Amino acid sequence: HSVCYNRNSIYHFIDRAEKPHTVCRQLNSTLWLNVGGRSIHSSAVCCKNRAARIRVGKGDRPVTYEQALHPHQIAHRKGWLSQHTSNLQGEDGAADRTVEDLFIRRLIYGTFHGCLADELVIKRRGNLLVICALMLQKLPPHKYYFLVGYTEELLSHFYKCPVKMEIQMLEEKSVYKYL
Amino acid sequence: AVISSILFSGSAEEIVIPRKKTWYGIAVLQALASTVNRDPTASHYVFQDDSYLTPRTSAEFKLYSLAQESGRTAAKYFINTYPKYFQKDFANPHIPCLMPETLELQVNEVSEAALIERIQLRKVKAAVDMYDQLLQAGTPVSLDLTNDLLDLISLYGDCDPARGDAPDKSLKPNRENNNAERIFNMMPERNRRSYGALIRGMVKHGAYSKAFNTYTDLLNNRLTGDVHIFNALISAAPEVREKYVEKWDLIVDLLKQMAEQKVKPTLLTFNAVLKALRRCGSLGRTQAFPVINEMKALGIAPSLATYDHVLGIFYKAATSAQGHTEILQDVLSEISGKSFTAQDPDDVEFFKDAMRICLATKDIEQAYRVHSLLGVGENWKLLGDSYYQSIYYGRFFNLLCMMEHIDVVLKWYKELIPSLYYPNSQGMRDLLQALDTDNRLDLIPQIWKDIKRMGHDNKTELVEEMLSLMARENQIPEVQQSFADCALDVKALYTQTDRRVPLSWSAGSLSSITSILLAAERTQQAWEMLKLFKLANRVPSESLMNQFLESVKASNNAQQAVELVQISASFCLSITPNLMERVQQEFDLTEEQRNTLSDLESSTAMSD
């Protein structure tokens, strides 16, 4: 899955909430023109009127608040999943932050497999990277602490900055409505 | 008074929302002030702030913190095994602790650089092997490097340090210095450092007389000792002499030699002297203060270990406080308001030993002073690891329960538990005793919730004591009802089999629960309890039977009265004839009931 870091066409990562499973579907349709050379990689197109929107269906699919509200509701009824200052005027590093976020989301999705109740919220305060996660009470607490210690240490060494995880536990996924 | 009102309002089941709330003028300031100090409702900072992930017992505390540490160790393993993924250095300025470490040996050819590397990585066996290979190859090894090697071997006792958090505590005195002595004897020239490494290693690993012999060798080779050698020898002195006087004479002799050889004593020297004086009996008491005065004359500030040794000299475990009670007060007066740093490994013993003395002398005032010392500056760091902390707080809480009024005890209870200390079942029993002393048994249901949360609900003695306290007297109706609810909750523990082994009934616990239920007029449930007696093979007491009779009389149920006599007969209680008589006299019985009773009477009479 190191493919995603080499992509030049990352425009559609920026203005929607990243979802690991939808990204993976797109990766399957990536066209490799020239492996090892410098070439254009293009993915299947995801139009902005279809990105991050769960369409109304039969009414049996539970969705969380975050999934139910569409991206135009960000800053109206929704907050941001990734908070950093590189999108401000005169700041740089937005692309790097986005790629880091993606990596972190995949790492945690896999490390805490089946335990995440909702998307991660990643906040950057100065040098500190705070990963806020909502988790289900699937594992006994000492296993969570093991995984938290492991993730914090691994990510700190990987990104050369202190990484902290703040977890809140839920009994089950909080359903906002059924679509 | 505040606590009881909170408890009672909870049982009222009615929440009245006021139309308007007026605040005091300084309410904001009070709210802000409450955030400044430690938050007693929060768990330890290493844990996540979530109720599912907060440890509730000391076992969970240890489990979760160790789990987190082992997660970190697992990550470090991956980082150090595959360092190429972690080499990219974004951080500006560079952060060295976030780079992968090289723990594997890089230099493999036989050379001094290889030996240096092995010493730095603390690989004792590999270092010794490399040294031997170097000598075999004929390469001379410099004196400093050989001294480093000797230091390494002496420190780790000739075996590799255990990889993990628990250090290998089993010191093996026999084979420990074979390598060190062998290398020492092979050295073409030795200096004071070499002798020092050997002597300190011998003292650390228990070869005391060998240490003194090596010191004699040092002197015979016309070398002088240094402060580390003398500190080690002083601490070894009590081991090589039997009588108190001889021990002290040896120490004085060493100190004189130290002066002759112009070695300046340090804090650790004086602490070693005081520690040795703890083993010199009454001689310690006479010599302790001269030593301290000498220390102050030299301008060396005492550390907490110094005071710990002084307390250890004057407060021996066997003797109770006889005229030495002023020492603790004097020590506390001297150190109050001072902030200490860690200078001696024995510094961490001070707080728990001071609290032990306060507990033994039942001196709550000094205990408060010790506790306030903990709040000064950096002194909290010298409280020790979680084990020492639990000992300290356990003793403190024990003393509080013994000596203070229940309101003060409960205030400290909220403050200390469970954020700082998880009491064991003995601690909870002390708290129950304190409740009993000050006649606040109405708080027992609240304490029972805490006992369950802390996982002490499987301790039979604690549960039975709590039940007997609740059953002892009748209470006012609301309290009695809350006791009855609590008793039913306890009963569930004895009967449930889903999660873990249930407690086993005893006559005491059965009787207590039954009498609590009777006093709360839950007669139906009390009758069910009587059946449990038979199942558990326990015999109800006579007072319980009388209590039953009283309650049956209150409800005037003749049938139940007859059943009661039948049950009493089935247990072959000696009170049965008495009961029978009372029932016949005090109740209006039908013909059938009278017949039943007379049958019983004759059957018991026949069995006599």
Side-chain angles (χ1 to χ4, degrees):
Chain A
H1 288 290
S2 60
V3 173
C4 68
Y5 309 133
N6 300 331
R7 308 181 67 145
N8 297 331
S9 57
I10 60 169
Y11 65 92
H12 52 275
F13 285 119
I14 298 179
D15 62 352
R16 68 179 179 94
E18 293 91 357
K19 289 199 183 307
H21 50 275
T22 53
V23 173
C24 288
R25 278 207 292 274
Q26 286 168 341
L27 282 180
N28 288 336
S29 57
T30 304
L31 299 173
W32 286 86
L33 295 183
N34 204 348
V35 183
R38 292 175 55 135
S39 50
I40 296 189
H41 300 193
S42 61
S43 65
V45 172
C46 183
C47 297
K48 70 174 183 186
N49 56 1
R50 296 214 59 102
R53 291 159 198 271
I54 297 188
R55 304 277 161 169
V56 174
K58 279 228 173 47
D60 55 353
R61 178 179 178 176
V63 288
T64 60
Y65 185 85
E66 203 274 320
Q67 290 166 326
L69 292 176
H70 294 167
H72 65 267
Q73 305 283 17
I74 293 177
H76 294 266
R77 300 178 197 173
K78 250 170 98 155
W80 282 268
L81 289 180
S82 172
Q83 297 173 6
H84 52 83
T85 57
S86 13
N87 284 328
L88 297 174
Q89 166 88 3
E91 302 286 337
D92 53 359
D96 302 310
R97 302 291 89 77
T98 314
V99 170
E100 285 167 15
D101 277 2
L102 254 192
F103 181 78
I104 293 171
R105 286 177 203 279
R106 281 166 197 251
L107 182 81
I108 304 230
Y109 181 71
T111 311
F112 291 88
H113 196 80
C115 299
L116 279 178
D118 206 345
E119 296 283 340
L120 293 182
V121 173
I122 300 181
K123 307 180 188 178
R124 287 177 176 75
R125 296 174 199 146
N127 196 22
L128 179 64
L129 209 155
V130 182
I131 303 171
C132 309
L134 279 174
M135 303 229 179
L136 304 171
Q137 291 178 359
K138 277 208 168 161
L139 302 173
H142 61 271
K143 293 199 181 174
Y144 278 115
Y145 278 110
F146 179 87
L147 291 175
V148 163
Y150 165 78
T151 317
E152 285 185 357
E153 190 78 6
L154 199 70
L155 286 175
S156 303
H157 283 253
F158 194 63
Y159 286 124
K160 308 291 181 234
C161 66
V163 174
K164 296 257 174 285
M165 283 193 73
E166 293 176 5
I167 306 185
Q168 292 188 34
M169 309 297 292
L170 299 175
E171 308 224 339
E172 53 199 19
K173 281 194 187 183
S174 57
V175 179
Y176 178 63
K177 58 183 177 182
Y178 291 88
L179 289 179
Chain B
V2 176
I3 299 164
S4 55
S5 69
I6 292 172
L7 282 180
F8 289 142
S9 67
S11 62
E13 295 286 348
E14 206 185 294
I15 302 174
V16 176
I17 302 176
R19 288 199 54 178
K20 184 175 169 148
K21 188 162 170 79
T22 51
W23 293 97
Y24 294 124
I26 55 168
V28 174
L29 290 175
Q30 280 176 335
L32 284 175
S34 70
T35 64
V36 169
N37 291 324
R38 199 181 67 83
D39 178 10
T41 60
S43 60
H44 199 258
Y45 73 91
V46 299
F47 297 120
Q48 300 285 335
D49 188 14
D50 183 82
S51 57
Y52 183 72
L53 297 175
T54 309
R56 277 171 258 165
T57 69
S58 59
E60 283 184 9
F61 184 99
K62 216 169 161 189
L63 179 65
Y64 298 169
S65 42
L66 287 178
Q68 192 160 21
E69 272 312 303
S70 65
R72 287 189 214 276
T73 319
K76 282 211 93 60
Y77 168 75
F78 282 112
I79 294 164
N80 293 332
T81 317
Y82 302 102
K84 65 181 192 280
Y85 299 114
F86 298 90
Q87 299 288 7
K88 195 161 177 197
D89 194 10
F90 311 94
N92 191 7
H94 177 67
I95 305 177
C97 72
L98 291 180
M99 301 298 287
E101 300 171 351
T102 39
L103 292 179
E104 299 306 318
L105 301 168
Q106 312 279 34
V107 186
N108 273 324
E109 70 269 7
V110 178
S111 68
E112 282 207 347
L115 183 56
I116 294 175
E117 191 195 20
R118 278 152 182 75
I119 292 176
Q120 272 179 344
L121 289 177
R122 304 286 186 261
K123 294 197 184 304
V124 180
K125 286 199 177 56
V128 172
D129 289 338
M130 179 56 62
Y131 181 81
D132 289 334
Q133 285 176 3
L134 277 171
L135 284 191
Q136 270 178 357
T139 327
V141 185
S142 70
L143 182 58
D144 278 338
L145 191 52
T146 319
N147 283 338
D148 285 337
L149 178 63
L150 280 178
D151 278 335
L152 182 74
I153 302 174
S154 302
L155 180 62
Y156 288 109
D158 217 7
C159 25
D160 279 317
R163 196 114 174 254
D165 50 354
D168 188 14
K169 289 248 167 69
S170 58
L171 302 176
K172 299 182 259 297
N174 282 332
R175 54 167 293 222
E176 104 284 336
N177 277 327
N178 290 343
N179 272 333
E181 288 179 38
R182 180 174 64 84
I183 293 176
F184 183 79
N185 293 334
M186 283 196 297
M187 284 168 78
E189 49 160 325
R190 308 168 193 131
N191 65 358
R192 176 197 325 172
R193 239 192 97 190
S194 329
Y195 280 98
L198 212 61
I199 292 175
R200 292 163 77 188
M202 285 169 178
V203 170
K204 179 174 177 182
H205 297 283
Y208 304 112
S209 28
K210 265 207 236 176
F212 276 95
N213 294 343
T214 316
Y215 175 66
T216 321
D217 278 344
L218 169 88
L219 294 178
N220 289 344
N221 282 334
R222 282 183 288 275
L223 292 170
T224 54
D226 67 3
V227 66
H228 305 294
I229 294 179
F230 280 107
N231 290 349
L233 289 174
I234 291 173
S235 56
E239 309 281 349
V240 294
R241 294 283 183 276
E242 293 295 325
K243 298 202 181 145
Y244 296 154
V245 186
E246 290 173 8
K247 293 184 202 200
W248 179 241
D249 287 341
L250 179 56
I251 295 174
V252 171
D253 187 43
L254 282 169
L255 290 171
K256 285 201 181 117
Q257 291 186 34
M258 207 168 160
E260 278 168 12
Q261 297 175 23
K262 308 245 186 324
V263 178
K264 279 195 169 314
T266 63
L267 171 68
L268 293 178
T269 319
F270 284 104
N271 283 354
V273 172
L274 285 170
K275 192 168 181 180
L277 275 177
R278 282 172 92 154
R279 306 190 37 194
C280 288
S282 53
L283 201 52
R285 285 196 275 276
T286 46
Q287 298 297 338
F289 284 111
V291 170
I292 299 211
N293 291 335
E294 181 82 27
M295 200 169 156
K296 291 190 183 161
L298 283 175
I300 301 179
S303 76
L304 276 184
T306 321
Y307 296 111
D308 180 51
H309 294 318
V310 167
L311 290 177
I313 290 172
F314 284 94
Y315 290 92
K316 294 274 186 251
T319 64
S320 55
Q322 309 146 340
H324 305 298
T325 47
E326 298 83 47
I327 303 287
L328 178 62
Q329 283 156 332
D330 294 339
V331 165
L332 287 175
S333 310
E334 184 163 328
I335 61 180
S336 75
K338 285 197 195 154
S339 173
F340 290 92
T341 53
Q343 292 164 293
D344 184 320
D346 288 328
D347 284 337
V348 293
E349 312 277 339
F350 173 77
F351 281 106
K352 74 170 179 41
D353 288 342
M355 195 50 78
R356 176 177 58 84
I357 294 168
C358 294
L359 182 60
T361 56
K362 296 202 181 9
D363 197 338
I364 189 75
E365 291 304 318
Q366 305 310 316
Y368 282 138
R369 289 174 82 187
V370 173
H371 195 68
S372 63
L373 182 64
L374 204 50
V376 175
E378 310 263 291
N379 290 346
W380 60 269
K381 295 183 186 172
L382 295 175
L383 190 49
D385 63 1
S386 59
Y387 176 58
Y388 275 31
Q389 281 183 30
S390 65
I391 297 178
Y392 171 81
Y393 286 113
R395 289 173 176 162
F396 187 38
F397 190 62
N398 192 354
L399 187 60
L400 283 170
C401 287
M402 261 202 286
M403 305 294 293
E404 283 282 9
H405 187 256
I406 188 66
D407 291 337
V408 178
V409 173
L410 286 172
K411 178 181 83 72
W412 280 103
Y413 181 75
K414 282 189 175 23
E415 184 76 19
L416 298 178
I417 291 153
S419 51
L420 283 176
Y421 163 57
Y422 295 97
N424 52 9
S425 65
Q426 184 56 44
M428 296 315 287
R429 288 174 75 177
D430 291 337
L431 180 60
L432 288 174
Q433 279 298 314
L435 287 175
D436 190 18
T437 314
D438 279 323
N439 230 351
R440 290 304 310 274
L441 294 177
D442 52 302
L443 292 174
I444 289 188
Q446 192 74 7
I447 304 292
W448 168 244
K449 284 199 200 128
D450 288 342
I451 292 179
K452 266 198 303 189
R453 189 192 67 211
M454 281 191 263
H456 289 312
D457 50 353
N458 54 1
K459 312 280 188 311
T460 11
E461 288 151 6
L462 176 59
V463 175
E464 288 190 10
E465 183 167 329
M466 192 186 74
L467 287 173
S468 62
L469 278 177
M470 284 200 287
R472 209 173 51 192
E473 304 153 349
N474 283 347
Q475 310 280 344
I476 60 178
E478 295 126 340
V479 177
Q480 199 62 51
Q481 292 306 318
S482 69
F483 277 12
D485 294 328
C486 183
L488 287 173
D489 198 27
V490 177
K491 177 185 168 195
L493 278 183
Y494 282 85
T495 50
Q496 77 179 23
T497 49
D498 49 354
R499 273 183 307 118
R500 48 152 218 199
V501 180
L503 296 171
S504 52
W505 287 114
S506 74
S509 50
L510 281 168
S511 310
S512 304
I513 296 185
T514 320
S515 61
I516 294 169
L517 289 171
L518 275 179
E521 294 170 13
R522 308 232 184 144
T523 25
Q524 186 51 38
Q525 288 151 333
W527 277 100
E528 284 169 28
M529 291 297 302
L530 263 189
K531 303 203 179 57
L532 279 177
F533 270 97
K534 243 312 187 300
L535 282 175
N537 267 338
R538 302 267 180 259
V539 179
S541 64
E542 300 185 358
S543 55
L544 189 60
M545 285 294 162
N546 278 329
Q547 204 181 348
F548 256 111
L549 192 59
E550 297 299 321
S551 101
V552 169
K553 230 182 7 179
S555 63
N556 221 343
N557 189 336
Q559 185 53 32
Q560 276 187 344
V562 174
E563 273 175 30
L564 186 66
V565 180
Q566 282 174 321
I567 291 175
S568 172
S570 70
F571 282 113
C572 301
L573 291 180
S574 58
I575 199 181
T576 315
N578 192 339
L579 277 180
M580 219 177 308
E581 209 181 298
R582 286 180 64 185
V583 168
Q584 281 168 337
Q585 284 171 0
E586 294 166 18
F587 284 84
D588 301 323
L589 299 172
T590 66
E591 199 55 46
E592 196 184 319
Q593 288 164 340
R594 281 196 193 277
N595 286 340
T596 325
L597 275 183
S598 46
D599 285 341
L600 264 179
E601 202 168 352
S602 48
S603 64
T604 48
M606 281 198 303
S607 65
D608 278 340

